[in-house]
Amino acid sequence: MIPYRNGEISHWMRASRTAGGPADQNLRRTMGLPGEEQDLVIVGGGLTGLWAAYHAAVERPGARISVLEAEEVGYGASGRNGGWLSPLIPGNRAVYARAASRRGEDGAAAVASFQREMDGAVDDTLRVLEQEGIQADQRRGGHLRVATTPAALKRLEVAHAADLAGGYRPEDLELLGAEAVKKRIAIGPALGGLLTRTTARVDPAKLVHGLAAAAEARGVRIHEGTRATRVAPGAVTTTRGTVTAATVLTCLEAYSGQVTSDARGLGGRDIIPVNSSMVVTGQLPAEVWERIGWQGGECLGDAAHTFVYAQRTADDRIAIGGRGTPYAFNSGTPGQGSVDARTVRALSERLHLFFPDVRFTIEHAWRGAIGVTRDWCAGVTFDPATRIGVARGFAGHGVTATHLAARTLLDRAAGRDTALTRLPWNDHDSGRWEPEPLRWIGVHGMYRLFAVADRWEEFRHSRSTSLLARFGSRLAGLGE
């Protein structure tokens, strides 16, 4: 018998239901589709779609706005992620800079502008949560990346310099020595760390449900259990009928390939779902937290190639995630999110590496899928002729980027020339993934290389990044 819950979407979503959940969920499933043409229809009830609906309703009170969601709001990555409201750009800065340069722009300035907008999107998200009274366990404790090998410590030093060159403010970054890291969080093998002060922790399900309620309070109609099958100019075909609209925004991320459309960026090889798994521990007693520390609410990651991401939850658990089994053949999605035992064991072992003197009980495991383009860069497109917009490819950095993408889509739909519509992810061409079985081999091969490189660096205590990891990064297009 498995001693922990497995799947059920996520710990966050289950806890939200246990606490009462959205009271109007049944209404969202039974409410009839609108018979009149909508001003705006949004396909996808995750964070991108809900932010777009919320801001559109704030901007145009009384507008007819509908959100179509195949399952329930937050069913995809929006309700399964690690809860990092982070300023990390969703993609490779060097790729965005080269794309801007090809358009005759200053590539470095374009990336710096992108970074400023990401910083602002963190601030704006927290502002909206406060304004709307959304309690998502938000706490701004920063993002602490920890090095446990000399090679990883060197990578953090390089990352610090690259972040400063890429538009981060010096006051928002700090390189920490081993003792400074351990004063914050008592990670046994820590050699040093990099602190990014602007990141905040959230509970993803509380965020998505609070945002949905705020949008509905402004007149947005959310239709759950309504799977879109085709997006066309002026109309979205669903399993429950057709909805007509002046403007259609498609915000499906990892599920983009499941909808038929002529819109750019929605083909089966334009974006693929890559799995990321999480586990959450049982609640830890006060005496354990006295040993661990972690009083500042930091989002915790490491500088390994097969990196993990974690947070101390508001109810005193540790939620930790990593890639696990990264990709299902032919772009399969994870359904309710069951996780294989090997991945649960790997995440548990990382916890024991960090905190060797603590006994952990895993209470729940789940996985979700992030949307990944061929160059791992997000993109926002809008066609004025068809009035169809698309945002996709956040590659695991979507909690903040979805907010920025939603506002960018609305600016483009309105025909506005703004700082957002000039960012380098607008109309970014990521290329296409290889056909199967090449992409399955490629994705799994890349992660195998990273795992071997991590073991090599740990075993050798090497001071330089493994050649295998460099080759894997080059293969995937991740190196800057």
Side-chain angles (χ1 to χ4, degrees), residues 292-464:
I292 292 176
W294 211 338
Q295 303 300 317
E298 298 91 343
C299 294
L300 173 64
D302 65 3
H305 304 294
T306 53
F307 62 88
V308 295
Y309 49 93
Q311 65 156 281
R312 175 180 176 176
T313 68
D315 62 349
D316 289 333
R317 308 169 190 271
I318 296 177
I320 183 170
R323 288 293 180 261
T325 303
Y327 175 72
F329 188 81
N330 206 26
S331 296
T333 48
Q336 288 287 309
S338 294
V339 184
D340 61 281
R342 182 179 62 84
T343 299
V344 175
R345 186 167 57 251
L347 291 171
S348 299
E349 288 172 353
R350 194 61 67 94
L351 275 177
H352 289 295
L353 172 68
F354 287 171
F355 310 109
D357 297 328
V358 178
R359 291 188 62 184
F360 296 100
T361 300
I362 300 302
E363 189 168 290
H364 196 155
W366 69 95
R367 66 187 170 111
I370 59 175
V372 176
T373 62
R374 185 59 185 88
D375 63 1
W376 294 73
C377 289
V380 177
T381 64
F382 185 81
D383 184 346
T386 62
R387 296 205 60 77
I388 297 175
V390 177
R392 83 288 184 271
F394 302 114
H397 299 313
V399 179
T400 304
T402 49
H403 192 176
L404 189 61
R407 291 170 49 222
T408 304
L409 280 172
L410 293 177
D411 277 357
R412 294 195 62 177
R416 294 188 284 257
D417 179 14
T418 67
L420 301 189
T421 64
R422 293 190 292 271
L423 293 178
W425 65 352
N426 283 283
D427 300 316
H428 178 70
D429 184 0
S430 292
R432 305 189 77 200
W433 283 94
E434 292 78 4
E436 295 289 21
L438 293 179
R439 70 172 176 264
W440 187 94
I441 294 170
V443 173
H444 281 263
M446 176 189 71
Y447 280 105
R448 289 281 181 88
L449 288 173
F450 286 160
V452 171
D454 283 335
R455 288 195 294 271
W456 178 263
E457 290 180 6
E458 290 165 6
F459 176 74
R460 301 277 302 215
H461 219 55
S462 55
R463 296 185 174 277
S464 299

Side-chain angles (χ1 to χ4, degrees), residues 15-318:
S16 180
R17 291 194 189 104
T18 302
D24 51 359
Q25 184 171 349
N26 190 55
L27 174 62
R28 292 173 182 166
R29 288 186 173 273
T30 58
M31 180 170 49
L33 295 182
E36 60 182 342
E37 182 178 76
Q38 300 292 284
D39 298 299
L40 174 64
V41 164
I42 297 163
V43 183
L47 285 171
T48 315
L50 293 173
W51 276 122
Y54 170 82
H55 282 297
V58 169
E59 187 177 298
R60 295 179 59 193
R64 298 183 297 273
I65 302 167
S66 291
V67 177
L68 310 178
E69 165 55 42
E71 301 288 346
E72 62 181 284
V73 294
Y75 177 84
S78 296
R80 309 189 195 203
N81 63 76
W84 287 22
L85 186 63
S86 162
L88 285 168
I89 286 176
N92 187 314
R93 289 179 290 210
V95 172
Y96 285 129
R98 287 194 294 270
S101 296
R102 285 195 293 270
R103 294 193 298 267
E105 303 169 12
D106 183 329
V111 168
S113 295
F114 202 169
Q115 187 59 64
R116 285 194 296 273
E117 294 297 341
M118 286 294 295
D119 290 339
V122 175
D123 295 336
D124 198 44
T125 299
L126 294 173
R127 177 192 62 77
V128 172
L129 296 186
E130 182 177 2
Q131 175 182 301
E132 296 293 341
I134 298 172
Q135 178 45 254
D137 297 337
Q138 58 267 35
R139 184 176 180 186
R140 199 168 208 168
H143 166 200
L144 179 60
R145 290 178 63 191
V146 176
T148 59
T149 67
L153 186 59
K154 188 173 181 180
R155 284 195 294 275
L156 288 185
E157 293 169 353
V158 172
H160 178 250
D163 286 347
L164 290 175
Y168 279 82
R169 295 169 297 207
E171 61 269 25
D172 292 335
L173 298 174
E174 184 179 2
L175 280 169
L176 302 177
E179 290 308 311
V181 168
K182 293 175 183 179
K183 282 182 179 179
R184 287 177 171 270
I185 308 176
I187 297 171
L191 300 179
L194 176 59
L195 178 66
T196 305
R197 291 188 169 86
T198 44
T199 300
R201 172 205 76 189
V202 296
D203 177 313
K206 291 180 180 179
L207 171 59
V208 79
H209 288 145
L211 186 55
E216 287 175 314
R218 284 169 170 72
V220 173
R221 293 165 59 105
I222 299 175
H223 302 270
E224 295 181 319
T226 307
R227 184 178 300 276
T229 57
R230 177 165 178 76
V231 172
V236 179
T237 304
T238 81
T239 51
R240 296 178 58 202
T242 298
V243 183
T244 59
T247 301
V248 178
L249 303 181
T250 305
C251 308
L252 291 170
E253 188 58 345
Y255 299 84
S256 296
Q258 298 181 4
V259 175
T260 303
S261 175
D262 296 328
R264 179 182 169 195
L266 284 184
R269 286 169 53 196
D270 290 291
I271 183 169
I272 64 170
V274 170
N275 293 318
S276 197
S277 300
M278 292 198 72
V279 299
V280 67
T281 69
Q283 290 177 300
L284 301 177
E287 60 267 24
V288 171
W289 286 115
E290 287 177 10
R291 302 206 312 264
I292 292 176
W294 211 338
Q295 303 300 317
E298 298 91 343
C299 294
L300 173 64
D302 65 3
H305 304 294
T306 53
F307 62 88
V308 295
Y309 49 93
Q311 65 156 281
R312 175 180 176 176
T313 68
D315 62 349
D316 289 333
R317 308 169 190 271
I318 296 177

